[in-house]
Amino acid sequence: MKAKLGIAPIAWWNDDLPELSDDVSLEECLRQAREAGFTGMETGRRFPMEAKVLEPILRQQGMSVCGGWFSGLLLDGDIETEKDRIGTQMALFKAVNAPCIVYGETAGTIQGDRAAPLATKRRLTDGEIKTYGRKMTAFAEWCVGEGMPIAYHHHMAAPIETEAELDQLMNHSGEALPLLYDAGHMAFAGGDVLRVIDKHHSRISHVHTKDVRRHVIDGLDRTRESFLDAVIKGAFTVPGDGSLDFEAIVKRLAFHGYEGWFVVEAEQDPVKSPPLKMARIGHQELRRVMAASGYSVED
């Protein structure tokens, strides 16, 4: 069983909340992540979108691209438009041998709106999810055909947030649509993190190891507070610093045969939670649970 450990730059610079950002360059961000022990990083706003610019930076720091967010609009849009929108990112990811593009649905999402309470998130009918599932399947098939698969990211404050909504999407989409499994987002949404793995393991192609602080989540007033309010309050953290049992989670993924990237993604205030310190904590915990689960981690 082989695994690779990556991290997202959101601990250093937050794309939705620029005020929660460390004043560090891309090179320094990559250097710190490598110092903590990671070999890959997902892309963020300070990444150049040209391979000839990015590749020398990655080589210098001994890092690779292990994924990256794409703000999809397919729920309300059409496939041809999304093909055009994803084109530049797809070309870069193919050039740097990234494993996938992380597809996050942002049509109708409130994840970036601090004025929108969690309880006001968009809710889809069964018919709307059926239509959406067909569109996502067709788009995923096209992406694979172009040589760069996507991984669908269920997400707090997005149209596909809860365990039930994810079940519906998986049921109404084809095997061509892979799933990004994020334990933190699923726990925040009230789902059973192990049951989701059991139900959808055959579709999981990418994993985000986001931990949560349960006391922060339980203390939220979802009729008044937004997703970004929760982030500012410290709802998320790295494995080893939160409430989730990542040894149980990783063992369940291993039981079902998952191999690939495990990416730490925890948006936090870099003043309260220094990124290098948190990266080290997350890496140490992941190495511990990888060993307990029978994984060989590629360095």
Side-chain angles (χ1 to χ4, degrees), residues 16 33 35 88 128 162 175 182 190 197 203 216 220 243 248 271 282 293 297:
D16 292 323
E35 181 180 328
T88 300
E128 288 172 327
T162 67
E175 293 290 328
D182 190 310
I197 296 172
R203 307 281 287 274
V216 175
L220 292 170
S243 306
V271 175
S293 305
V297 177

Side-chain angles (χ1 to χ4, degrees), residues 90-156:
M90 180 175 281
L92 172 67
F93 276 36
K94 288 165 65 175
V96 299
N97 296 312
C100 65
I101 291 176
V102 175
Y103 183 98
E105 186 59 62
T106 57
T109 187
I110 58 169
Q111 67 199 64
D113 184 356
R114 195 171 177 189
L118 285 160
T120 64
K121 78 132 203 147
R122 183 173 178 178
R123 302 187 186 280
L124 304 178
T125 66
D126 189 59
E128 288 172 327
I129 293 181
K130 285 181 179 179
T131 300
Y132 181 50
R134 287 195 295 268
K135 290 166 70 175
M136 282 304 315
T137 302
F139 184 61
E141 289 172 343
W142 176 81
C143 290
V144 169
E146 292 295 305
M148 180 48 57
I150 58 173
Y152 190 92
H153 193 339
H154 58 94
H155 200 287
M156 280 300 300

Side-chain angles (χ1 to χ4, degrees), residues 5-172:
L5 302 186
I7 193 166
I10 200 165
W12 284 268
W13 354 286
N14 193 304
D15 289 356
D16 292 323
L17 287 167
E19 62 267 32
L20 293 188
S21 296
D22 222 354
D23 186 22
V24 298
S25 65
L26 170 61
E27 289 83 354
E28 177 61 14
C29 179
L30 290 168
R31 188 198 68 77
Q32 290 185 23
R34 190 69 187 94
E35 181 180 328
F38 295 96
T39 58
M41 179 172 279
E42 293 195 348
T43 54
R45 73 173 186 270
R46 293 182 183 173
F47 275 70
M49 294 302 288
E50 295 181 47
K52 64 181 180 181
V53 179
L54 180 58
E55 285 179 317
I57 299 172
L58 294 171
R59 281 197 300 270
Q60 183 181 28
Q61 303 300 331
M63 295 286 279
S64 64
V65 172
C66 61
W69 178 274
F70 170 71
S71 295
L73 296 171
L74 192 56
L75 178 60
D76 294 333
D78 63 85
I79 293 175
E80 293 305 314
T81 300
E82 292 305 283
K83 289 178 182 179
D84 291 338
R85 294 185 64 246
I86 205 171
T88 300
Q89 186 173 350
M90 180 175 281
L92 172 67
F93 276 36
K94 288 165 65 175
V96 299
N97 296 312
C100 65
I101 291 176
V102 175
Y103 183 98
E105 186 59 62
T106 57
T109 187
I110 58 169
Q111 67 199 64
D113 184 356
R114 195 171 177 189
L118 285 160
T120 64
K121 78 132 203 147
R122 183 173 178 178
R123 302 187 186 280
L124 304 178
T125 66
D126 189 59
E128 288 172 327
I129 293 181
K130 285 181 179 179
T131 300
Y132 181 50
R134 287 195 295 268
K135 290 166 70 175
M136 282 304 315
T137 302
F139 184 61
E141 289 172 343
W142 176 81
C143 290
V144 169
E146 292 295 305
M148 180 48 57
I150 58 173
Y152 190 92
H153 193 339
H154 58 94
H155 200 287
M156 280 300 300
I160 302 298
E161 172 193 90
T162 67
E163 182 178 350
E165 289 166 340
L166 179 59
D167 288 347
Q168 284 183 291
L169 178 62
M170 291 293 95
N171 289 339
H172 295 311

Side-chain angles (χ1 to χ4, degrees), residues 86-299:
I86 205 171
T88 300
Q89 186 173 350
M90 180 175 281
L92 172 67
F93 276 36
K94 288 165 65 175
V96 299
N97 296 312
C100 65
I101 291 176
V102 175
Y103 183 98
E105 186 59 62
T106 57
T109 187
I110 58 169
Q111 67 199 64
D113 184 356
R114 195 171 177 189
L118 285 160
T120 64
K121 78 132 203 147
R122 183 173 178 178
R123 302 187 186 280
L124 304 178
T125 66
D126 189 59
E128 288 172 327
I129 293 181
K130 285 181 179 179
T131 300
Y132 181 50
R134 287 195 295 268
K135 290 166 70 175
M136 282 304 315
T137 302
F139 184 61
E141 289 172 343
W142 176 81
C143 290
V144 169
E146 292 295 305
M148 180 48 57
I150 58 173
Y152 190 92
H153 193 339
H154 58 94
H155 200 287
M156 280 300 300
I160 302 298
E161 172 193 90
T162 67
E163 182 178 350
E165 289 166 340
L166 179 59
D167 288 347
Q168 284 183 291
L169 178 62
M170 291 293 95
N171 289 339
H172 295 311
S173 60
E175 293 290 328
L177 179 64
L179 173 65
L180 184 155
Y181 171 74
D182 190 310
H185 278 283
M186 186 50 62
F188 194 157
D192 184 315
V193 296
L194 298 181
R195 185 170 60 209
V196 169
I197 296 172
D198 289 338
K199 287 186 291 189
H200 305 302
H201 61 87
S202 66
R203 307 281 287 274
I204 297 173
S205 67
H206 203 58
V207 172
H208 277 180
T209 54
K210 183 195 296 288
D211 209 336
V212 298
R213 295 185 176 99
R214 176 58 64 184
H215 69 280
V216 175
I217 290 174
D218 290 346
L220 292 170
D221 181 350
R222 300 192 185 206
T223 66
R224 300 182 62 182
E225 294 181 283
S226 67
F227 174 72
L228 295 182
D229 288 334
V231 169
I232 291 170
K233 284 189 168 187
F236 296 129
T237 187
V238 300
D241 186 57
S243 306
L244 297 180
D245 182 351
F246 270 94
E247 183 171 336
I249 291 167
V250 172
K251 282 183 174 178
R252 191 64 59 91
L253 287 163
F255 174 78
H256 289 295
Y258 174 80
E259 291 187 284
W261 284 98
F262 291 81
V263 181
V264 173
E265 189 210 28
E267 48 266 63
Q268 298 190 84
D269 185 338
V271 175
K272 297 177 182 177
S273 302
L276 177 55
K277 174 186 176 182
M278 302 310 294
R280 284 173 169 156
I281 292 171
H283 187 269
Q284 182 178 5
E285 176 66 1
L286 284 184
R287 288 302 296 250
R288 183 188 72 80
V289 302
M290 292 293 155
S293 305
Y295 279 105
S296 172
V297 177
E298 296 185 10
D299 292 324

